[in-house]
Amino acid sequence: MVRQVTRGRGRLVFLGSAPSDLAAPTQAEITAGTDITPSVRSVDGWDLSVADLDIADLSSDFQKTGAGTSSAASSSVAFYADDAGAAAILTALAEDTAGWMAFLRNGQASTEPSKIWPCQVKVHNDRDVQAMDEPPTTVVEFGLTDRPTKGTQAA
């Protein structure tokens, strides 16, 4: 397999309604969402982590650990504030809106992988004044409401 970057191929789509099968979203269900890819500057978070659970016992001097509860760190997407599509995206991502963020690593196509996070928009933060050589951005923060579903896009 050839190693490659996803820039220019990957897609990030906000789905206002859940696909009938989160592990196999159809092309129609994905297309019905809001493709936010062209306005995205950066993506932070969207990682699942599992806390260590202490399971040590007296039979060993080794400090055993197991899988504890899972959680997700703070997650956000930064958009170019003056991009032509930014207003429509921020409307779709209104504060307190619940939905599903679809990460399509190899683009939108049947048989390609997908990861879909159930989420809720928490807040928009405008970054109008940044370094002199950076455009203004809006950072949208998300609460992740459950584990992501990994799967393959259907036809």
Side-chain angles (χ1 to χ4, degrees):
M1 176 185 262
V2 177
R3 292 182 183 161
Q4 52 198 359
V5 297
T6 59
R7 181 173 281 171
R9 294 178 326 133
R11 309 303 292 168
L12 194 55
V13 181
F14 182 76
L15 308 173
S17 58
S20 56
D21 181 355
L22 288 172
T26 66
Q27 298 306 299
E29 291 169 329
I30 294 169
T31 300
T34 303
D35 185 352
I36 64 175
T37 311
S39 297
V40 172
R41 178 178 178 154
S42 65
V43 177
D44 291 311
W46 306 93
D47 293 317
L48 191 63
S49 61
V50 178
D52 286 337
L53 180 64
D54 181 2
I55 58 172
D57 58 52
L58 292 176
S59 69
S60 173
D61 63 354
F62 184 77
Q63 185 66 38
K64 301 173 189 174
T65 60
T69 58
S70 60
S71 64
S74 183
S75 299
S76 65
V77 178
F79 299 94
Y80 291 106
D82 56 356
D83 191 77
I89 290 169
L90 293 176
T91 298
L93 298 176
E95 291 181 4
D96 295 324
T97 298
W100 293 260
M101 189 66 77
F103 287 80
L104 310 173
R105 181 178 62 221
N106 294 328
Q108 182 179 340
S110 297
T111 73
E112 290 296 338
S114 63
K115 186 187 320 182
I116 300 178
W117 284 91
C119 60
Q120 182 170 7
V121 178
K122 295 193 310 188
V123 68
H124 297 178
N125 289 304
D126 295 326
R127 306 272 196 259
D128 294 325
V129 179
Q130 296 195 39
M132 297 300 287
D133 58 349
E134 293 184 16
T137 59
T138 297
V139 178
V140 178
E141 294 182 21
F142 294 85
L144 303 181
T145 58
D146 205 347
R147 293 173 172 268
T149 300
K150 296 178 184 179
T152 303
Q153 299 172 53

mmCIF file of all heavy atoms in Angstrom, residues 51-84:
data_model
loop_
_atom_site.group_PDB
_atom_site.id
_atom_site.type_symbol
_atom_site.label_atom_id
_atom_site.label_comp_id
_atom_site.label_asym_id
_atom_site.label_seq_id
_atom_site.Cartn_x
_atom_site.Cartn_y
_atom_site.Cartn_z
ATOM 1 N N ALA A 51 -9.106 5.531 30.088
ATOM 2 C CA ALA A 51 -8.377 5.675 31.349
ATOM 3 C C ALA A 51 -7.887 4.318 31.828
ATOM 4 O O ALA A 51 -8.507 3.286 31.552
ATOM 5 C CB ALA A 51 -9.279 6.309 32.407
ATOM 6 N N ASP A 52 -6.760 4.329 32.532
ATOM 7 C CA ASP A 52 -6.260 3.095 33.141
ATOM 8 C C ASP A 52 -7.089 2.760 34.366
ATOM 9 O O ASP A 52 -7.480 3.631 35.142
ATOM 10 C CB ASP A 52 -4.797 3.261 33.566
ATOM 11 C CG ASP A 52 -3.840 3.244 32.389
ATOM 12 O OD1 ASP A 52 -4.206 2.693 31.339
ATOM 13 O OD2 ASP A 52 -2.725 3.777 32.534
ATOM 14 N N LEU A 53 -7.319 1.485 34.544
ATOM 15 C CA LEU A 53 -8.021 0.975 35.713
ATOM 16 C C LEU A 53 -7.028 0.120 36.493
ATOM 17 O O LEU A 53 -6.414 -0.782 35.937
ATOM 18 C CB LEU A 53 -9.217 0.123 35.253
ATOM 19 C CG LEU A 53 -10.079 -0.499 36.335
ATOM 20 C CD1 LEU A 53 -10.769 0.583 37.154
ATOM 21 C CD2 LEU A 53 -11.115 -1.411 35.689
ATOM 22 N N ASP A 54 -6.854 0.431 37.754
ATOM 23 C CA ASP A 54 -5.917 -0.311 38.596
ATOM 24 C C ASP A 54 -6.500 -1.692 38.913
ATOM 25 O O ASP A 54 -7.554 -1.804 39.537
ATOM 26 C CB ASP A 54 -5.671 0.474 39.880
ATOM 27 C CG ASP A 54 -4.683 -0.205 40.810
ATOM 28 O OD1 ASP A 54 -4.148 -1.279 40.462
ATOM 29 O OD2 ASP A 54 -4.446 0.344 41.896
ATOM 30 N N ILE A 55 -5.830 -2.730 38.456
ATOM 31 C CA ILE A 55 -6.303 -4.102 38.728
ATOM 32 C C ILE A 55 -5.199 -4.928 39.400
ATOM 33 O O ILE A 55 -5.125 -6.150 39.232
ATOM 34 C CB ILE A 55 -6.812 -4.793 37.443
ATOM 35 C CG1 ILE A 55 -5.718 -4.832 36.373
ATOM 36 C CG2 ILE A 55 -8.064 -4.109 36.923
ATOM 37 C CD1 ILE A 55 -6.085 -5.675 35.158
ATOM 38 N N ALA A 56 -4.348 -4.251 40.172
ATOM 39 C CA ALA A 56 -3.271 -4.940 40.884
ATOM 40 C C ALA A 56 -3.838 -5.906 41.920
ATOM 41 O O ALA A 56 -4.929 -5.702 42.455
ATOM 42 C CB ALA A 56 -2.365 -3.920 41.565
ATOM 43 N N ASP A 57 -3.098 -6.969 42.165
ATOM 44 C CA ASP A 57 -3.494 -7.919 43.211
ATOM 45 C C ASP A 57 -2.248 -8.366 43.968
ATOM 46 O O ASP A 57 -1.121 -8.037 43.606
ATOM 47 C CB ASP A 57 -4.262 -9.106 42.610
ATOM 48 C CG ASP A 57 -3.464 -9.836 41.555
ATOM 49 O OD1 ASP A 57 -2.301 -10.221 41.831
ATOM 50 O OD2 ASP A 57 -3.986 -10.035 40.445
ATOM 51 N N LEU A 58 -2.436 -9.124 45.018
ATOM 52 C CA LEU A 58 -1.327 -9.527 45.883
ATOM 53 C C LEU A 58 -0.458 -10.635 45.292
ATOM 54 O O LEU A 58 0.601 -10.941 45.840
ATOM 55 C CB LEU A 58 -1.865 -9.977 47.244
ATOM 56 C CG LEU A 58 -2.484 -8.870 48.091
ATOM 57 C CD1 LEU A 58 -3.079 -9.456 49.366
ATOM 58 C CD2 LEU A 58 -1.445 -7.812 48.411
ATOM 59 N N SER A 59 -0.860 -11.225 44.190
ATOM 60 C CA SER A 59 -0.081 -12.320 43.623
ATOM 61 C C SER A 59 1.150 -11.849 42.852
ATOM 62 O O SER A 59 1.981 -12.659 42.481
ATOM 63 C CB SER A 59 -0.965 -13.160 42.687
ATOM 64 O OG SER A 59 -1.302 -12.414 41.530
ATOM 65 N N SER A 60 1.271 -10.541 42.650
ATOM 66 C CA SER A 60 2.386 -10.035 41.852
ATOM 67 C C SER A 60 2.803 -8.666 42.363
ATOM 68 O O SER A 60 1.984 -7.913 42.897
ATOM 69 C CB SER A 60 1.958 -9.936 40.381
ATOM 70 O OG SER A 60 2.952 -9.301 39.628
ATOM 71 N N ASP A 61 4.091 -8.351 42.161
ATOM 72 C CA ASP A 61 4.538 -7.010 42.503
ATOM 73 C C ASP A 61 4.450 -6.077 41.286
ATOM 74 O O ASP A 61 4.885 -4.944 41.325
ATOM 75 C CB ASP A 61 5.956 -7.022 43.079
ATOM 76 C CG ASP A 61 6.991 -7.510 42.089
ATOM 77 O OD1 ASP A 61 6.625 -7.953 40.988
ATOM 78 O OD2 ASP A 61 8.188 -7.434 42.419
ATOM 79 N N PHE A 62 3.885 -6.574 40.204
ATOM 80 C CA PHE A 62 3.686 -5.772 39.001
ATOM 81 C C PHE A 62 2.375 -4.995 39.121
ATOM 82 O O PHE A 62 1.348 -5.547 39.521
ATOM 83 C CB PHE A 62 3.642 -6.670 37.758
ATOM 84 C CG PHE A 62 3.546 -5.889 36.482
ATOM 85 C CD1 PHE A 62 4.658 -5.260 35.949
ATOM 86 C CD2 PHE A 62 2.342 -5.771 35.803
ATOM 87 C CE1 PHE A 62 4.585 -4.534 34.776
ATOM 88 C CE2 PHE A 62 2.249 -5.042 34.630
ATOM 89 C CZ PHE A 62 3.376 -4.425 34.110
ATOM 90 N N GLN A 63 2.418 -3.715 38.831
ATOM 91 C CA GLN A 63 1.229 -2.863 38.907
ATOM 92 C C GLN A 63 0.387 -3.060 37.646
ATOM 93 O O GLN A 63 0.602 -2.416 36.629
ATOM 94 C CB GLN A 63 1.639 -1.389 39.043
ATOM 95 C CG GLN A 63 0.494 -0.432 39.237
ATOM 96 C CD GLN A 63 -0.220 -0.636 40.552
ATOM 97 O OE1 GLN A 63 0.388 -0.922 41.574
ATOM 98 N NE2 GLN A 63 -1.534 -0.513 40.535
ATOM 99 N N LYS A 64 -0.564 -3.976 37.708
ATOM 100 C CA LYS A 64 -1.399 -4.303 36.551
ATOM 101 C C LYS A 64 -2.435 -3.214 36.313
ATOM 102 O O LYS A 64 -2.956 -2.622 37.256
ATOM 103 C CB LYS A 64 -2.129 -5.623 36.774
ATOM 104 C CG LYS A 64 -1.229 -6.805 37.018
ATOM 105 C CD LYS A 64 -2.047 -8.028 37.389
ATOM 106 C CE LYS A 64 -1.165 -9.162 37.855
ATOM 107 N NZ LYS A 64 -1.959 -10.296 38.342
ATOM 108 N N THR A 65 -2.715 -2.969 35.042
ATOM 109 C CA THR A 65 -3.774 -2.030 34.684
ATOM 110 C C THR A 65 -4.642 -2.654 33.599
ATOM 111 O O THR A 65 -4.198 -3.503 32.833
ATOM 112 C CB THR A 65 -3.212 -0.692 34.163
ATOM 113 O OG1 THR A 65 -2.415 -0.922 33.013
ATOM 114 C CG2 THR A 65 -2.400 0.026 35.220
ATOM 115 N N GLY A 66 -5.863 -2.200 33.549
ATOM 116 C CA GLY A 66 -6.806 -2.625 32.525
ATOM 117 C C GLY A 66 -7.506 -1.406 31.954
ATOM 118 O O GLY A 66 -7.232 -0.269 32.351
ATOM 119 N N ALA A 67 -8.401 -1.660 31.038
ATOM 120 C CA ALA A 67 -9.137 -0.566 30.398
ATOM 121 C C ALA A 67 -10.253 -0.080 31.314
ATOM 122 O O ALA A 67 -11.075 -0.864 31.779
ATOM 123 C CB ALA A 67 -9.708 -1.034 29.073
ATOM 124 N N GLY A 68 -10.253 1.222 31.557
ATOM 125 C CA GLY A 68 -11.301 1.841 32.367
ATOM 126 C C GLY A 68 -12.322 2.526 31.479
ATOM 127 O O GLY A 68 -12.636 2.041 30.392
ATOM 128 N N THR A 69 -12.800 3.663 31.919
ATOM 129 C CA THR A 69 -13.807 4.387 31.155
ATOM 130 C C THR A 69 -13.172 5.105 29.972
ATOM 131 O O THR A 69 -12.003 5.499 30.008
ATOM 132 C CB THR A 69 -14.537 5.427 32.027
ATOM 133 O OG1 THR A 69 -13.564 6.333 32.562
ATOM 134 C CG2 THR A 69 -15.289 4.756 33.154
ATOM 135 N N SER A 70 -13.961 5.276 28.925
ATOM 136 C CA SER A 70 -13.462 5.986 27.750
ATOM 137 C C SER A 70 -14.019 7.402 27.739
ATOM 138 O O SER A 70 -15.061 7.691 28.332
ATOM 139 C CB SER A 70 -13.853 5.243 26.463
ATOM 140 O OG SER A 70 -15.246 5.143 26.365
ATOM 141 N N SER A 71 -13.289 8.273 27.076
ATOM 142 C CA SER A 71 -13.716 9.671 26.958
ATOM 143 C C SER A 71 -13.051 10.269 25.731
ATOM 144 O O SER A 71 -12.175 9.663 25.116
ATOM 145 C CB SER A 71 -13.329 10.467 28.207
ATOM 146 O OG SER A 71 -11.920 10.506 28.336
ATOM 147 N N ALA A 72 -13.492 11.459 25.399
ATOM 148 C CA ALA A 72 -12.897 12.180 24.271
ATOM 149 C C ALA A 72 -12.504 13.565 24.749
ATOM 150 O O ALA A 72 -13.245 14.216 25.493
ATOM 151 C CB ALA A 72 -13.880 12.272 23.119
ATOM 152 N N ALA A 73 -11.353 13.998 24.328
ATOM 153 C CA ALA A 73 -10.859 15.317 24.704
ATOM 154 C C ALA A 73 -11.660 16.391 23.969
ATOM 155 O O ALA A 73 -12.444 16.102 23.060
ATOM 156 C CB ALA A 73 -9.378 15.428 24.349
ATOM 157 N N SER A 74 -11.453 17.601 24.353
ATOM 158 C CA SER A 74 -12.090 18.727 23.690
ATOM 159 C C SER A 74 -11.819 18.660 22.186
ATOM 160 O O SER A 74 -10.693 18.385 21.764
ATOM 161 C CB SER A 74 -11.539 20.026 24.280
ATOM 162 O OG SER A 74 -12.185 21.119 23.709
ATOM 163 N N SER A 75 -12.852 18.874 21.386
ATOM 164 C CA SER A 75 -12.715 18.758 19.937
ATOM 165 C C SER A 75 -13.224 20.021 19.256
ATOM 166 O O SER A 75 -14.207 20.629 19.704
ATOM 167 C CB SER A 75 -13.500 17.546 19.434
ATOM 168 O OG SER A 75 -12.984 16.369 20.020
ATOM 169 N N SER A 76 -12.546 20.408 18.175
ATOM 170 C CA SER A 76 -12.945 21.632 17.482
ATOM 171 C C SER A 76 -12.564 21.565 16.008
ATOM 172 O O SER A 76 -11.756 20.730 15.588
ATOM 173 C CB SER A 76 -12.281 22.852 18.132
ATOM 174 O OG SER A 76 -10.878 22.785 17.974
ATOM 175 N N VAL A 77 -13.176 22.469 15.257
ATOM 176 C CA VAL A 77 -12.841 22.670 13.851
ATOM 177 C C VAL A 77 -12.708 24.171 13.657
ATOM 178 O O VAL A 77 -13.596 24.938 14.058
ATOM 179 C CB VAL A 77 -13.926 22.105 12.906
ATOM 180 C CG1 VAL A 77 -13.566 22.381 11.452
ATOM 181 C CG2 VAL A 77 -14.123 20.612 13.130
ATOM 182 N N ALA A 78 -11.610 24.610 13.062
ATOM 183 C CA ALA A 78 -11.397 26.023 12.770
ATOM 184 C C ALA A 78 -11.693 26.268 11.291
ATOM 185 O O ALA A 78 -11.227 25.521 10.423
ATOM 186 C CB ALA A 78 -9.964 26.433 13.096
ATOM 187 N N PHE A 79 -12.476 27.316 11.021
ATOM 188 C CA PHE A 79 -12.863 27.681 9.662
ATOM 189 C C PHE A 79 -12.294 29.039 9.300
ATOM 190 O O PHE A 79 -12.142 29.904 10.157
ATOM 191 C CB PHE A 79 -14.393 27.779 9.558
ATOM 192 C CG PHE A 79 -15.104 26.510 9.860
ATOM 193 C CD1 PHE A 79 -15.585 26.249 11.132
ATOM 194 C CD2 PHE A 79 -15.287 25.559 8.881
ATOM 195 C CE1 PHE A 79 -16.241 25.071 11.418
ATOM 196 C CE2 PHE A 79 -15.945 24.372 9.156
ATOM 197 C CZ PHE A 79 -16.420 24.132 10.420
ATOM 198 N N TYR A 80 -12.034 29.250 8.033
ATOM 199 C CA TYR A 80 -11.669 30.577 7.557
ATOM 200 C C TYR A 80 -12.913 31.444 7.636
ATOM 201 O O TYR A 80 -13.926 31.166 6.997
ATOM 202 C CB TYR A 80 -11.142 30.526 6.126
ATOM 203 C CG TYR A 80 -9.796 29.848 6.036
ATOM 204 C CD1 TYR A 80 -9.666 28.561 5.522
ATOM 205 C CD2 TYR A 80 -8.645 30.494 6.494
ATOM 206 C CE1 TYR A 80 -8.430 27.945 5.453
ATOM 207 C CE2 TYR A 80 -7.407 29.884 6.432
ATOM 208 C CZ TYR A 80 -7.307 28.611 5.906
ATOM 209 O OH TYR A 80 -6.089 28.000 5.845
ATOM 210 N N ALA A 81 -12.873 32.503 8.428
ATOM 211 C CA ALA A 81 -14.049 33.324 8.700
ATOM 212 C C ALA A 81 -14.539 34.072 7.470
ATOM 213 O O ALA A 81 -15.735 34.340 7.349
ATOM 214 C CB ALA A 81 -13.741 34.311 9.827
ATOM 215 N N ASP A 82 -13.656 34.414 6.559
ATOM 216 C CA ASP A 82 -14.063 35.190 5.389
ATOM 217 C C ASP A 82 -14.245 34.326 4.141
ATOM 218 O O ASP A 82 -14.391 34.838 3.042
ATOM 219 C CB ASP A 82 -13.068 36.311 5.127
ATOM 220 C CG ASP A 82 -11.642 35.811 4.966
ATOM 221 O OD1 ASP A 82 -11.410 34.584 5.130
ATOM 222 O OD2 ASP A 82 -10.762 36.635 4.702
ATOM 223 N N ASP A 83 -14.274 33.006 4.307
ATOM 224 C CA ASP A 83 -14.470 32.106 3.185
ATOM 225 C C ASP A 83 -15.908 32.229 2.688
ATOM 226 O O ASP A 83 -16.826 32.461 3.468
ATOM 227 C CB ASP A 83 -14.184 30.666 3.626
ATOM 228 C CG ASP A 83 -14.117 29.707 2.464
ATOM 229 O OD1 ASP A 83 -13.085 29.720 1.775
ATOM 230 O OD2 ASP A 83 -15.104 28.974 2.253
ATOM 231 N N ALA A 84 -16.107 32.039 1.383
ATOM 232 C CA ALA A 84 -17.438 32.190 0.788
ATOM 233 C C ALA A 84 -18.468 31.256 1.409
ATOM 234 O O ALA A 84 -19.636 31.606 1.539
ATOM 235 C CB ALA A 84 -17.358 31.961 -0.718
#
